[in-house]
Amino acid sequence: MKNNFQADRAYAQWLDDNDPLKEIRGRFYVQEDEIYMDGNSLGLASKDAEEALLKMLETWKKEGIKLWDGLFHYAGKLGELSAPLINAYPDEIVITGSTTINIHQCISTLYKPTKDRYKILVDDLNFPTDRYAIDSQVRLRGYTPDEAVKVVKSSDGRLIDEEAVITAMTDDVAIILLPTVLYRSSQVLDMRKVTKAAHDRGILIGWDLCHAIGAIPMDFKEVQPDFAVWCTYKYLSAGPGSIAGLYMNRKHFKETPGLAGWWGNKDETQFELKHQFEHQQDASGWQIGSPSFLAMAPLEGTLNIFNEVGIEKIREKSLLITAYLMYLIDEKLERYGFNVGNPREDNRRGGHVCLEHQEAYRICKALKQAGIVPDFREPNVIRLAPIALYNTYQEVYTLVETLEKIAVEKTYEQFSNERTLVV
Ligand SMILES: Cc1ncc(COP(=O)(O)O)c(C=O)c1O
């Protein structure tokens, strides 16, 4: 299909008519007067998520404290529902905390610096919260980030070279944290290759899946990373501030959590309320405090959609719709100074397209004025995420047509370049 792409609306309509996921769009709250291209930042609400949230509210209303009887293992149940997304064992996943808290939890559990092996390896393109967490973790152990955080640098500000990461795996590295999909350039790192290289050198490794979960299939039974973390408000559409995911490989179940709390205690003795912590030896043992049911319930609804459709089919459409977007950019926009900044190969790009332009900031403002929601990332990136579950090929066509109009008419010039807090 890809080689036959055509740059006209009738072809976009044909793609929509033949989209195997077209019925799923109706389950989401898509605003008819708006084109939403920001599902990689905050996924749209779905009716399934709403239903699950309202059901949780009803349970609270009717049952009060008795709700614990049915919901005691809810965080683990959501972990079980998440397992097919990464092909992990269900007991290796728990829905808890936020991405950042879960990084703190995993690093404080698994980072055991010695005189010779004390460094944490990271890259310089990951989302900053990961670096803030890593820097503070080494400080807690008495190091400065300069001493103990080793940074693999990108050569072009877009991509991370896996070979450079592997070369940086020296004998002083204890643990590695990397993103699976880079938040700006959409590059997919080869988790299998990098994880194997780390393990061959006696180094532990964890992955930040924020831009990968729900966008690309992963196989943790094969990759066998030591830990992983992810948020659920992007592709998983579980709502603003929804509760995050934590994966802990079974081989680490006996480790004591770095950040212990009573929700990580063994189920059988949790309510004995003893002052000696007894660790629950599965992923749920890395919970800290009481689970936030109202912020978790929408995830149950959307995971049902993901499990019904299957992540492979979602990826199939995502690859086609992002390929179509890149094709239209090449056909219609390249001449106006736009450039595709993400890798083009199917196995190296995630769920969004990284569109670069020197006027990216003001063009994003013009897009919003025209009823299209993109997002901007410094210094020159317009992130565009046509989401497999709810975006259409015709929306992609309109998006490119609108960008062309903005570029030709220079409508972005009416906006200031001064950055505001949220774009
Ligand atoms: C790669 C990555 N990690 C972490 C976060 C955010 O962390 P948290 O969920 O704790 O806010 C983001 C947010 O966009 C992200 O892109």
Side-chain angles (χ1 to χ4, degrees):
M1 215 185 276
K2 272 186 215 176
N3 296 334
N4 300 327
F5 282 154
Q6 290 165 30
D8 58 59
R9 185 169 292 281
Y11 186 76
Q13 171 148 20
W14 182 84
L15 285 170
D16 281 330
D17 292 344
N18 288 282
D19 175 5
L21 304 190
K22 65 183 170 200
E23 302 300 336
I24 304 291
R25 176 175 162 93
R27 309 241 304 250
F28 284 85
Y29 284 100
V30 177
Q31 304 302 306
E32 284 314 321
D33 55 350
E34 183 177 271
I35 294 180
Y36 196 74
M37 285 285 155
D38 207 6
N40 63 326
S41 216
L42 182 69
L44 286 182
S46 65
K47 291 167 189 167
D48 300 64
E50 180 184 41
E51 224 170 83
L53 176 60
L54 292 176
K55 194 173 138 212
M56 185 62 81
L57 208 52
E58 276 309 299
T59 307
W60 176 30
K61 276 158 55 179
K62 290 196 181 125
E63 298 186 14
I65 191 75
K66 295 192 296 284
L67 63 72
W68 287 109
D69 293 341
L71 294 172
F72 191 70
H73 292 112
Y74 194 56
K77 179 187 162 184
L78 294 187
E80 232 175 277
L81 289 174
S82 310
L85 296 172
I86 58 172
N87 192 32
Y89 297 106
D91 61 352
E92 291 177 314
I93 304 176
V94 66
I95 297 303
T96 188
S98 70
T99 315
T100 316
I101 290 172
N102 294 346
I103 293 171
H104 280 293
Q105 176 64 297
C106 293
I107 295 290
S108 64
T109 301
L110 298 175
Y111 175 48
K112 297 184 172 152
T114 63
K115 193 169 135 298
D116 299 322
R117 238 188 224 283
Y118 59 95
K119 290 192 177 168
I120 303 186
L121 184 65
V122 296
D123 67 287
D124 71 342
L125 295 183
N126 203 348
F127 194 75
T129 201
D130 294 42
R131 277 300 295 285
Y132 304 159
I134 295 295
D135 287 3
S136 65
Q137 282 293 325
V138 302
R139 276 194 213 99
L140 284 169
R141 307 300 178 99
Y143 301 101
T144 64
D146 279 351
E147 279 171 319
V149 181
K150 184 170 182 179
V151 184
V152 178
K153 293 210 168 13
S154 163
S155 59
D156 61 0
R158 287 193 189 109
L159 307 177
I160 293 294
D161 175 11
E162 283 103 339
E163 289 307 324
V165 174
I166 293 170
T167 305
M169 294 179 187
T170 44
D171 290 346
D172 51 2
V173 174
I175 194 163
I176 302 172
L177 175 66
L178 293 168
T180 300
V181 174
L182 272 60
Y183 79 95
R184 200 165 22 209
S185 72
S186 195
Q187 178 193 1
V188 178
L189 289 181
D190 186 338
M191 283 207 293
R192 190 171 291 121
K193 179 175 166 181
V194 175
T195 302
K196 182 172 184 316
H199 288 165
D200 287 349
R201 290 157 181 76
I203 303 171
L204 301 182
I205 182 162
W207 294 90
D208 179 334
L209 311 181
C210 279
H211 284 271
I213 194 89
I216 66 171
M218 287 164 274
D219 187 347
F220 275 28
K221 285 183 187 159
E222 192 187 335
V223 175
Q224 291 287 328
D226 295 283
F227 71 94
V229 296
W230 59 91
C231 62
T232 56
Y233 45 77
K234 298 179 188 293
Y235 290 92
L236 294 185
S237 269
S242 55
I243 304 303
L246 182 155
Y247 161 93
M248 184 62 70
N249 192 297
R250 281 180 168 180
K251 68 185 171 199
H252 299 303
F253 280 179
K254 286 200 161 51
E255 299 287 343
T256 302
L259 307 176
W262 75 307
W263 274 85
N265 197 90
K266 269 188 190 162
D267 294 351
E268 307 88 63
T269 57
Q270 180 175 344
F271 278 86
E272 289 178 15
L273 303 177
K274 292 185 291 204
H275 280 192
Q276 288 72 39
F277 177 68
E278 294 181 315
H279 180 216
Q280 171 72 24
Q281 292 189 2
D282 56 41
S284 68
W286 274 268
Q287 292 175 92
I288 302 174
S290 306
S292 307
F293 290 150
L294 295 178
M296 291 160 89
L299 180 62
E300 183 180 353
T302 50
L303 284 175
N304 286 333
I305 303 179
F306 276 84
N307 287 328
E308 185 185 315
V309 178
I311 188 66
E312 300 288 345
K313 285 216 169 66
I314 290 171
R315 177 63 166 160
E316 220 172 277
K317 174 170 170 191
S318 168
L319 283 173
L320 190 63
I321 199 165
T322 49
Y324 182 56
L325 174 53
M326 292 190 294
Y327 161 80
L328 290 177
I329 291 167
D330 292 344
E331 288 292 309
K332 289 173 174 284
L333 299 179
E334 215 175 14
R335 71 197 82 151
Y336 301 111
F338 288 98
N339 173 59
V340 171
N342 52 274
R344 290 186 180 246
E345 306 93 308
D346 281 2
N347 63 343
R348 291 190 71 227
R349 72 171 196 276
H352 72 271
V353 167
C354 162
L355 182 63
E356 298 173 343
H357 192 283
Q358 61 178 12
E359 285 290 353
Y361 182 78
R362 296 201 289 174
I363 290 171
C364 277
K365 293 210 155 173
L367 273 176
K368 282 190 177 172
Q369 190 183 49
I372 298 179
V373 184
D375 81 8
F376 168 76
R377 285 294 174 264
E378 295 285 1
N380 63 344
V381 171
I382 304 168
R383 291 193 307 185
L384 300 167
I387 302 294
L389 293 175
Y390 51 79
N391 282 116
T392 66
Y393 294 88
Q394 288 184 80
E395 285 180 323
V396 167
Y397 188 82
T398 306
L399 161 69
V400 173
E401 216 178 36
T402 309
L403 281 166
E404 189 178 20
K405 191 164 183 292
I406 289 169
V408 170
E409 295 175 6
K410 293 194 182 336
T411 52
Y412 58 84
E413 285 182 348
Q414 65 187 289
F415 297 104
S416 157
N417 232 329
E418 206 170 301
R419 307 303 200 238
T420 49
L421 194 57
V422 178
V423 183

